mmCIF file of all heavy atoms in Angstrom:
data_model
loop_
_atom_site.group_PDB
_atom_site.id
_atom_site.type_symbol
_atom_site.label_atom_id
_atom_site.label_comp_id
_atom_site.label_asym_id
_atom_site.label_seq_id
_atom_site.Cartn_x
_atom_site.Cartn_y
_atom_site.Cartn_z
ATOM 1 N N LEU P 255 -43.852 -84.522 45.011
ATOM 2 C CA LEU P 255 -43.519 -83.311 44.409
ATOM 3 C C LEU P 255 -44.772 -82.518 43.994
ATOM 4 O O LEU P 255 -45.652 -83.012 43.326
ATOM 5 C CB LEU P 255 -42.704 -83.636 43.122
ATOM 6 C CG LEU P 255 -42.289 -82.443 42.148
ATOM 7 C CD1 LEU P 255 -41.330 -81.519 42.912
ATOM 8 C CD2 LEU P 255 -41.818 -82.886 40.889
ATOM 9 N N GLY P 256 -44.852 -81.275 44.443
ATOM 10 C CA GLY P 256 -45.952 -80.395 44.017
ATOM 11 C C GLY P 256 -46.659 -79.716 45.161
ATOM 12 O O GLY P 256 -46.265 -79.916 46.280
ATOM 13 N N ALA P 257 -47.701 -78.950 44.757
ATOM 14 C CA ALA P 257 -48.502 -78.189 45.757
ATOM 15 C C ALA P 257 -47.625 -77.151 46.405
ATOM 16 O O ALA P 257 -46.504 -76.922 45.962
ATOM 17 C CB ALA P 257 -49.103 -79.055 46.781
ATOM 18 N N SER P 258 -48.131 -76.412 47.336
ATOM 19 C CA SER P 258 -47.330 -75.372 48.020
ATOM 20 C C SER P 258 -46.511 -75.947 49.162
ATOM 21 O O SER P 258 -46.629 -77.169 49.489
ATOM 22 C CB SER P 258 -48.305 -74.321 48.688
ATOM 23 O OG SER P 258 -49.116 -74.988 49.737
ATOM 24 N N ALA P 259 -45.513 -75.200 49.693
ATOM 25 C CA ALA P 259 -44.641 -75.752 50.651
ATOM 26 C C ALA P 259 -45.326 -76.293 51.841
ATOM 27 O O ALA P 259 -45.036 -77.301 52.429
ATOM 28 C CB ALA P 259 -43.687 -74.620 51.063
ATOM 29 N N ASP P 260 -46.290 -75.481 52.390
ATOM 30 C CA ASP P 260 -47.018 -76.004 53.570
ATOM 31 C C ASP P 260 -47.849 -77.159 53.330
ATOM 32 O O ASP P 260 -48.088 -78.101 54.217
ATOM 33 C CB ASP P 260 -47.831 -74.845 54.221
ATOM 34 C CG ASP P 260 -48.921 -74.256 53.210
ATOM 35 O OD1 ASP P 260 -48.562 -74.288 52.072
ATOM 36 O OD2 ASP P 260 -49.998 -73.937 53.622
ATOM 37 N N ILE P 261 -48.559 -77.301 52.185
ATOM 38 C CA ILE P 261 -49.308 -78.376 51.890
ATOM 39 C C ILE P 261 -48.440 -79.651 51.657
ATOM 40 O O ILE P 261 -48.837 -80.790 52.123
ATOM 41 C CB ILE P 261 -50.119 -78.108 50.503
ATOM 42 C CG1 ILE P 261 -51.161 -76.991 50.682
ATOM 43 C CG2 ILE P 261 -50.753 -79.420 49.969
ATOM 44 C CD1 ILE P 261 -52.240 -77.455 51.608
ATOM 45 N N ILE P 262 -47.376 -79.567 50.990
ATOM 46 C CA ILE P 262 -46.464 -80.762 50.746
ATOM 47 C C ILE P 262 -45.969 -81.225 52.123
ATOM 48 O O ILE P 262 -45.770 -82.562 52.361
ATOM 49 C CB ILE P 262 -45.411 -80.480 49.753
ATOM 50 C CG1 ILE P 262 -44.797 -81.861 49.194
ATOM 51 C CG2 ILE P 262 -44.225 -79.639 50.306
ATOM 52 C CD1 ILE P 262 -45.819 -82.583 48.289
ATOM 53 N N GLU P 263 -45.600 -80.399 52.997
ATOM 54 C CA GLU P 263 -45.149 -80.777 54.311
ATOM 55 C C GLU P 263 -46.193 -81.560 55.142
ATOM 56 O O GLU P 263 -45.952 -82.517 55.779
ATOM 57 C CB GLU P 263 -44.594 -79.589 55.102
ATOM 58 C CG GLU P 263 -43.275 -79.003 54.545
ATOM 59 C CD GLU P 263 -42.142 -79.970 54.613
ATOM 60 O OE1 GLU P 263 -42.169 -80.774 55.586
ATOM 61 O OE2 GLU P 263 -41.276 -79.973 53.722
ATOM 62 N N ALA P 264 -47.390 -80.942 55.060
ATOM 63 C CA ALA P 264 -48.515 -81.600 55.805
ATOM 64 C C ALA P 264 -48.843 -83.012 55.225
ATOM 65 O O ALA P 264 -49.099 -83.925 55.997
ATOM 66 C CB ALA P 264 -49.737 -80.620 55.828
ATOM 67 N N ALA P 265 -48.956 -82.986 53.899
ATOM 68 C CA ALA P 265 -49.261 -84.239 53.177
ATOM 69 C C ALA P 265 -48.170 -85.302 53.558
ATOM 70 O O ALA P 265 -48.538 -86.461 53.766
ATOM 71 C CB ALA P 265 -49.361 -84.042 51.712
ATOM 72 N N HIS P 266 -46.883 -84.851 53.527
ATOM 73 C CA HIS P 266 -45.876 -85.791 53.817
ATOM 74 C C HIS P 266 -46.006 -86.304 55.227
ATOM 75 O O HIS P 266 -45.810 -87.617 55.403
ATOM 76 C CB HIS P 266 -44.510 -85.119 53.682
ATOM 77 C CG HIS P 266 -43.351 -85.842 54.107
ATOM 78 N ND1 HIS P 266 -42.548 -85.519 55.182
ATOM 79 C CD2 HIS P 266 -42.692 -86.959 53.584
ATOM 80 C CE1 HIS P 266 -41.568 -86.300 55.393
ATOM 81 N NE2 HIS P 266 -41.645 -87.232 54.381
ATOM 82 N N GLU P 267 -46.234 -85.533 56.194
ATOM 83 C CA GLU P 267 -46.401 -86.025 57.631
ATOM 84 C C GLU P 267 -47.485 -87.015 57.717
ATOM 85 O O GLU P 267 -47.357 -88.038 58.396
ATOM 86 C CB GLU P 267 -46.536 -84.822 58.500
ATOM 87 C CG GLU P 267 -45.369 -84.011 58.745
ATOM 88 C CD GLU P 267 -44.124 -84.763 59.151
ATOM 89 O OE1 GLU P 267 -44.355 -85.580 60.146
ATOM 90 O OE2 GLU P 267 -43.043 -84.598 58.756
ATOM 91 N N LYS P 268 -48.586 -86.739 57.066
ATOM 92 C CA LYS P 268 -49.796 -87.610 57.219
ATOM 93 C C LYS P 268 -49.617 -88.949 56.479
ATOM 94 O O LYS P 268 -50.022 -90.005 56.945
ATOM 95 C CB LYS P 268 -51.103 -86.887 56.671
ATOM 96 C CG LYS P 268 -51.543 -85.723 57.574
ATOM 97 C CD LYS P 268 -52.926 -85.268 57.373
ATOM 98 C CE LYS P 268 -53.402 -84.239 58.315
ATOM 99 N NZ LYS P 268 -54.791 -83.876 58.277
ATOM 100 N N LEU P 269 -48.941 -88.839 55.408
ATOM 101 C CA LEU P 269 -48.702 -90.092 54.619
ATOM 102 C C LEU P 269 -47.655 -90.997 55.323
ATOM 103 O O LEU P 269 -47.747 -92.231 55.288
ATOM 104 C CB LEU P 269 -48.275 -89.798 53.206
ATOM 105 C CG LEU P 269 -49.343 -89.227 52.364
ATOM 106 C CD1 LEU P 269 -48.769 -88.878 50.906
ATOM 107 C CD2 LEU P 269 -50.464 -90.229 52.055
ATOM 108 N N LYS P 270 -46.709 -90.344 55.970
ATOM 109 C CA LYS P 270 -45.733 -91.089 56.771
ATOM 110 C C LYS P 270 -46.445 -91.823 57.852
ATOM 111 O O LYS P 270 -46.059 -93.004 58.122
ATOM 112 C CB LYS P 270 -44.689 -90.188 57.385
ATOM 113 C CG LYS P 270 -43.434 -89.908 56.443
ATOM 114 C CD LYS P 270 -42.292 -89.392 57.181
ATOM 115 C CE LYS P 270 -42.589 -88.273 58.213
ATOM 116 N NZ LYS P 270 -41.334 -87.831 58.964
ATOM 117 N N LYS P 271 -47.422 -91.247 58.547
ATOM 118 C CA LYS P 271 -48.122 -91.935 59.582
ATOM 119 C C LYS P 271 -48.985 -92.961 59.136
ATOM 120 O O LYS P 271 -49.131 -94.019 59.643
ATOM 121 C CB LYS P 271 -48.894 -90.857 60.375
ATOM 122 C CG LYS P 271 -47.980 -89.822 61.247
ATOM 123 C CD LYS P 271 -48.899 -88.863 61.934
ATOM 124 C CE LYS P 271 -47.950 -87.911 62.705
ATOM 125 N NZ LYS P 271 -48.751 -86.917 63.434
ATOM 126 N N GLN P 272 -49.638 -92.736 57.982
ATOM 127 C CA GLN P 272 -50.556 -93.725 57.379
ATOM 128 C C GLN P 272 -49.959 -94.902 56.774
ATOM 129 O O GLN P 272 -50.407 -95.987 56.817
ATOM 130 C CB GLN P 272 -51.449 -92.936 56.382
ATOM 131 C CG GLN P 272 -52.599 -93.859 55.796
ATOM 132 C CD GLN P 272 -53.505 -93.060 54.919
ATOM 133 O OE1 GLN P 272 -53.309 -91.843 54.626
ATOM 134 N NE2 GLN P 272 -54.545 -93.722 54.337
ATOM 135 N N PHE P 273 -48.686 -94.636 56.203
ATOM 136 C CA PHE P 273 -47.991 -95.847 55.559
ATOM 137 C C PHE P 273 -46.548 -95.840 56.060
ATOM 138 O O PHE P 273 -45.629 -95.457 55.388
ATOM 139 C CB PHE P 273 -47.906 -95.588 54.029
ATOM 140 C CG PHE P 273 -49.333 -95.393 53.388
ATOM 141 C CD1 PHE P 273 -49.809 -94.187 53.098
ATOM 142 C CD2 PHE P 273 -49.990 -96.601 53.181
ATOM 143 C CE1 PHE P 273 -51.103 -94.106 52.491
ATOM 144 C CE2 PHE P 273 -51.377 -96.472 52.609
ATOM 145 C CZ PHE P 273 -51.825 -95.236 52.289
ATOM 146 N N PRO P 274 -46.399 -96.325 57.304
ATOM 147 C CA PRO P 274 -45.021 -96.352 57.950
ATOM 148 C C PRO P 274 -44.055 -97.269 57.282
ATOM 149 O O PRO P 274 -42.892 -97.164 57.430
ATOM 150 C CB PRO P 274 -45.342 -96.806 59.365
ATOM 151 C CG PRO P 274 -46.632 -97.552 59.271
ATOM 152 C CD PRO P 274 -47.466 -96.836 58.228
ATOM 153 N N GLY P 275 -44.597 -98.158 56.448
ATOM 154 C CA GLY P 275 -43.681 -99.108 55.786
ATOM 155 C C GLY P 275 -43.094 -98.535 54.511
ATOM 156 O O GLY P 275 -42.195 -99.107 53.816
ATOM 157 N N ILE P 276 -43.539 -97.338 53.986
ATOM 158 C CA ILE P 276 -42.923 -96.676 52.849
ATOM 159 C C ILE P 276 -41.845 -95.807 53.211
ATOM 160 O O ILE P 276 -41.821 -95.070 54.251
ATOM 161 C CB ILE P 276 -44.016 -95.829 52.221
ATOM 162 C CG1 ILE P 276 -45.137 -96.671 51.582
ATOM 163 C CG2 ILE P 276 -43.498 -94.962 51.107
ATOM 164 C CD1 ILE P 276 -44.726 -97.426 50.400
ATOM 165 N N ARG P 277 -40.746 -95.927 52.547
ATOM 166 C CA ARG P 277 -39.651 -94.925 52.732
ATOM 167 C C ARG P 277 -39.889 -93.751 51.913
ATOM 168 O O ARG P 277 -39.729 -93.733 50.643
ATOM 169 C CB ARG P 277 -38.375 -95.629 52.321
ATOM 170 C CG ARG P 277 -37.956 -96.814 53.211
ATOM 171 C CD ARG P 277 -36.708 -97.555 52.689
ATOM 172 N NE ARG P 277 -36.893 -98.196 51.423
ATOM 173 C CZ ARG P 277 -36.260 -97.839 50.259
ATOM 174 N NH1 ARG P 277 -35.373 -96.755 50.291
ATOM 175 N NH2 ARG P 277 -36.421 -98.533 49.254
ATOM 176 N N PHE P 278 -40.190 -92.596 52.535
ATOM 177 C CA PHE P 278 -40.383 -91.326 51.823
ATOM 178 C C PHE P 278 -39.030 -90.625 51.769
ATOM 179 O O PHE P 278 -38.520 -90.156 52.631
ATOM 180 C CB PHE P 278 -41.418 -90.454 52.513
ATOM 181 C CG PHE P 278 -42.741 -90.915 52.505
ATOM 182 C CD1 PHE P 278 -43.348 -91.796 53.489
ATOM 183 C CD2 PHE P 278 -43.636 -90.603 51.308
ATOM 184 C CE1 PHE P 278 -44.704 -92.287 53.348
ATOM 185 C CE2 PHE P 278 -44.903 -91.140 51.231
ATOM 186 C CZ PHE P 278 -45.381 -91.996 52.169
ATOM 187 N N VAL P 279 -38.461 -90.756 50.571
ATOM 188 C CA VAL P 279 -37.067 -90.364 50.328
ATOM 189 C C VAL P 279 -36.869 -88.883 49.826
ATOM 190 O O VAL P 279 -35.765 -88.404 49.587
ATOM 191 C CB VAL P 279 -36.406 -91.243 49.283
ATOM 192 C CG1 VAL P 279 -36.323 -92.647 49.860
ATOM 193 C CG2 VAL P 279 -37.268 -91.309 47.958
ATOM 194 N N GLY P 280 -37.940 -88.167 49.656
ATOM 195 C CA GLY P 280 -37.893 -86.761 49.239
ATOM 196 C C GLY P 280 -39.187 -86.042 49.083
ATOM 197 O O GLY P 280 -40.203 -86.828 48.819
ATOM 198 N N ARG P 281 -39.135 -84.810 49.062
ATOM 199 C CA ARG P 281 -40.376 -84.028 48.786
ATOM 200 C C ARG P 281 -39.997 -82.559 48.446
ATOM 201 O O ARG P 281 -38.879 -82.096 48.823
ATOM 202 C CB ARG P 281 -41.292 -83.952 50.056
ATOM 203 C CG ARG P 281 -40.680 -83.246 51.325
ATOM 204 C CD ARG P 281 -41.393 -83.585 52.524
ATOM 205 N NE ARG P 281 -40.790 -83.001 53.697
ATOM 206 C CZ ARG P 281 -39.796 -83.430 54.333
ATOM 207 N NH1 ARG P 281 -39.169 -84.588 53.951
ATOM 208 N NH2 ARG P 281 -39.306 -82.862 55.440
ATOM 209 N N ARG P 282 -40.792 -81.937 47.647
ATOM 210 C CA ARG P 282 -40.499 -80.613 47.197
ATOM 211 C C ARG P 282 -41.848 -79.931 46.665
ATOM 212 O O ARG P 282 -42.557 -80.640 46.074
ATOM 213 C CB ARG P 282 -39.463 -80.478 46.118
ATOM 214 C CG ARG P 282 -39.264 -79.085 45.595
ATOM 215 C CD ARG P 282 -37.998 -78.937 44.775
ATOM 216 N NE ARG P 282 -37.872 -77.652 44.292
ATOM 217 C CZ ARG P 282 -36.682 -76.909 43.996
ATOM 218 N NH1 ARG P 282 -35.610 -77.646 44.137
ATOM 219 N NH2 ARG P 282 -36.745 -75.743 43.535
ATOM 220 N N ASP P 283 -42.018 -78.639 46.970
ATOM 221 C CA ASP P 283 -43.231 -78.051 46.488
ATOM 222 C C ASP P 283 -43.091 -77.865 44.859
ATOM 223 O O ASP P 283 -42.127 -78.086 44.399
ATOM 224 C CB ASP P 283 -43.362 -76.647 47.127
ATOM 225 C CG ASP P 283 -42.379 -75.689 46.724
ATOM 226 O OD1 ASP P 283 -42.412 -75.137 45.600
ATOM 227 O OD2 ASP P 283 -41.507 -75.330 47.558
ATOM 228 N N GLY P 284 -44.286 -77.608 44.334
ATOM 229 C CA GLY P 284 -44.301 -77.488 42.936
ATOM 230 C C GLY P 284 -44.082 -76.154 42.395
ATOM 231 O O GLY P 284 -44.324 -75.908 41.095
ATOM 232 N N TYR P 285 -43.715 -75.236 43.185
ATOM 233 C CA TYR P 285 -43.500 -73.781 42.665
ATOM 234 C C TYR P 285 -42.103 -73.559 42.267
ATOM 235 O O TYR P 285 -41.249 -72.861 42.946
ATOM 236 C CB TYR P 285 -43.996 -72.809 43.729
ATOM 237 C CG TYR P 285 -45.565 -72.816 43.893
ATOM 238 C CD1 TYR P 285 -46.111 -73.685 44.814
ATOM 239 C CD2 TYR P 285 -46.358 -71.984 43.159
ATOM 240 C CE1 TYR P 285 -47.478 -73.763 44.836
ATOM 241 C CE2 TYR P 285 -47.759 -72.119 43.228
ATOM 242 C CZ TYR P 285 -48.262 -72.894 44.092
ATOM 243 O OH TYR P 285 -49.642 -73.013 44.230
ATOM 244 N N PHE P 286 -41.755 -74.186 41.152
ATOM 245 C CA PHE P 286 -40.338 -73.949 40.626
ATOM 246 C C PHE P 286 -40.380 -73.571 39.186
ATOM 247 O O PHE P 286 -41.363 -73.912 38.539
ATOM 248 C CB PHE P 286 -39.434 -75.202 40.976
ATOM 249 C CG PHE P 286 -40.000 -76.419 40.332
ATOM 250 C CD1 PHE P 286 -39.854 -76.823 39.091
ATOM 251 C CD2 PHE P 286 -40.784 -77.232 41.261
ATOM 252 C CE1 PHE P 286 -40.333 -78.043 38.565
ATOM 253 C CE2 PHE P 286 -41.314 -78.551 40.763
ATOM 254 C CZ PHE P 286 -41.067 -78.853 39.339
ATOM 255 N N THR P 287 -39.362 -72.856 38.697
ATOM 256 C CA THR P 287 -39.358 -72.420 37.419
ATOM 257 C C THR P 287 -38.675 -73.489 36.440
ATOM 258 O O THR P 287 -38.101 -74.387 36.881
ATOM 259 C CB THR P 287 -38.641 -71.059 37.277
ATOM 260 O OG1 THR P 287 -37.219 -71.249 37.585
ATOM 261 C CG2 THR P 287 -39.221 -69.999 38.261
ATOM 262 N N ASP P 288 -38.872 -73.164 35.123
ATOM 263 C CA ASP P 288 -38.171 -74.031 34.151
ATOM 264 C C ASP P 288 -36.644 -74.040 34.465
ATOM 265 O O ASP P 288 -36.047 -75.142 34.128
ATOM 266 C CB ASP P 288 -38.457 -73.471 32.775
ATOM 267 C CG ASP P 288 -39.893 -73.703 32.340
ATOM 268 O OD1 ASP P 288 -40.675 -74.323 33.039
ATOM 269 O OD2 ASP P 288 -40.302 -73.017 31.313
ATOM 270 N N LYS P 289 -36.066 -72.966 34.806
ATOM 271 C CA LYS P 289 -34.595 -72.928 35.078
ATOM 272 C C LYS P 289 -34.281 -73.857 36.165
ATOM 273 O O LYS P 289 -33.032 -74.225 36.321
ATOM 274 C CB LYS P 289 -34.196 -71.462 35.331
ATOM 275 C CG LYS P 289 -34.447 -70.551 34.158
ATOM 276 C CD LYS P 289 -33.807 -69.124 34.491
ATOM 277 C CE LYS P 289 -33.917 -68.201 33.275
ATOM 278 N NZ LYS P 289 -33.429 -66.861 33.622
ATOM 279 N N GLU P 290 -35.179 -74.140 37.011
ATOM 280 C CA GLU P 290 -34.889 -74.962 38.208
ATOM 281 C C GLU P 290 -35.163 -76.476 37.962
ATOM 282 O O GLU P 290 -34.965 -77.289 38.784
ATOM 283 C CB GLU P 290 -35.753 -74.543 39.402
ATOM 284 C CG GLU P 290 -35.468 -73.216 39.917
ATOM 285 C CD GLU P 290 -36.287 -72.673 41.059
ATOM 286 O OE1 GLU P 290 -37.527 -72.417 40.721
ATOM 287 O OE2 GLU P 290 -35.805 -72.658 42.141
ATOM 288 N N ASP P 291 -35.660 -76.797 36.826
ATOM 289 C CA ASP P 291 -35.983 -78.219 36.444
ATOM 290 C C ASP P 291 -34.856 -79.116 36.655
ATOM 291 O O ASP P 291 -34.963 -80.185 37.236
ATOM 292 C CB ASP P 291 -36.467 -78.274 35.051
ATOM 293 C CG ASP P 291 -37.919 -77.846 34.769
ATOM 294 O OD1 ASP P 291 -38.566 -77.612 35.849
ATOM 295 O OD2 ASP P 291 -38.334 -77.858 33.688
ATOM 296 N N GLY P 292 -33.671 -78.670 36.274
ATOM 297 C CA GLY P 292 -32.400 -79.606 36.329
ATOM 298 C C GLY P 292 -32.212 -79.894 37.724
ATOM 299 O O GLY P 292 -31.824 -81.084 38.149
ATOM 300 N N GLU P 293 -32.259 -78.924 38.676
ATOM 301 C CA GLU P 293 -32.090 -79.135 40.069
ATOM 302 C C GLU P 293 -33.075 -80.157 40.654
ATOM 303 O O GLU P 293 -32.672 -80.996 41.388
ATOM 304 C CB GLU P 293 -32.170 -77.772 40.817
ATOM 305 C CG GLU P 293 -32.073 -77.797 42.329
ATOM 306 C CD GLU P 293 -32.348 -76.553 42.973
ATOM 307 O OE1 GLU P 293 -32.111 -75.438 42.340
ATOM 308 O OE2 GLU P 293 -32.935 -76.459 44.080
ATOM 309 N N VAL P 294 -34.324 -79.974 40.244
ATOM 310 C CA VAL P 294 -35.287 -80.835 40.731
ATOM 311 C C VAL P 294 -35.167 -82.252 40.301
ATOM 312 O O VAL P 294 -35.265 -83.208 41.052
ATOM 313 C CB VAL P 294 -36.792 -80.353 40.303
ATOM 314 C CG1 VAL P 294 -37.872 -81.244 40.711
ATOM 315 C CG2 VAL P 294 -37.001 -78.879 40.827
ATOM 316 N N VAL P 295 -34.935 -82.364 38.977
ATOM 317 C CA VAL P 295 -34.672 -83.744 38.369
ATOM 318 C C VAL P 295 -33.472 -84.403 39.046
ATOM 319 O O VAL P 295 -33.587 -85.607 39.456
ATOM 320 C CB VAL P 295 -34.477 -83.625 36.878
ATOM 321 C CG1 VAL P 295 -34.011 -84.923 36.334
ATOM 322 C CG2 VAL P 295 -35.749 -83.216 36.183
ATOM 323 N N ALA P 296 -32.402 -83.619 39.346
ATOM 324 C CA ALA P 296 -31.251 -84.182 39.908
ATOM 325 C C ALA P 296 -31.558 -84.726 41.302
ATOM 326 O O ALA P 296 -31.045 -85.819 41.747
ATOM 327 C CB ALA P 296 -30.125 -83.161 39.994
ATOM 328 N N ALA P 297 -32.380 -83.994 42.030
ATOM 329 C CA ALA P 297 -32.696 -84.370 43.404
ATOM 330 C C ALA P 297 -33.506 -85.696 43.387
ATOM 331 O O ALA P 297 -33.253 -86.625 44.252
ATOM 332 C CB ALA P 297 -33.486 -83.306 44.122
#
């Protein structure tokens, strides 16, 4: 969770390759408002 959309996508892809045994179950950029906190927490 965090950084910009392009950064989190790139980081996700690289970490998946580096740690194939980890189950990456979700990702989201960090540019969300307080009103969106509930949605982020629920995910």
Side-chain angles (χ1 to χ4, degrees):
L255 177 67
S258 62
D260 59 328
I261 292 296
I262 198 68
E263 287 299 326
H266 173 249
E267 289 303 315
K268 292 201 172 184
L269 290 174
K270 273 201 312 181
K271 292 178 181 178
Q272 188 174 356
F273 302 101
I276 292 288
R277 293 178 292 113
F278 289 94
V279 293
R281 62 196 180 280
R282 175 166 180 154
D283 68 73
Y285 291 88
F286 52 88
T287 65
D288 293 347
K289 292 181 179 180
E290 296 174 290
D291 280 355
E293 174 189 329
V294 175
V295 170

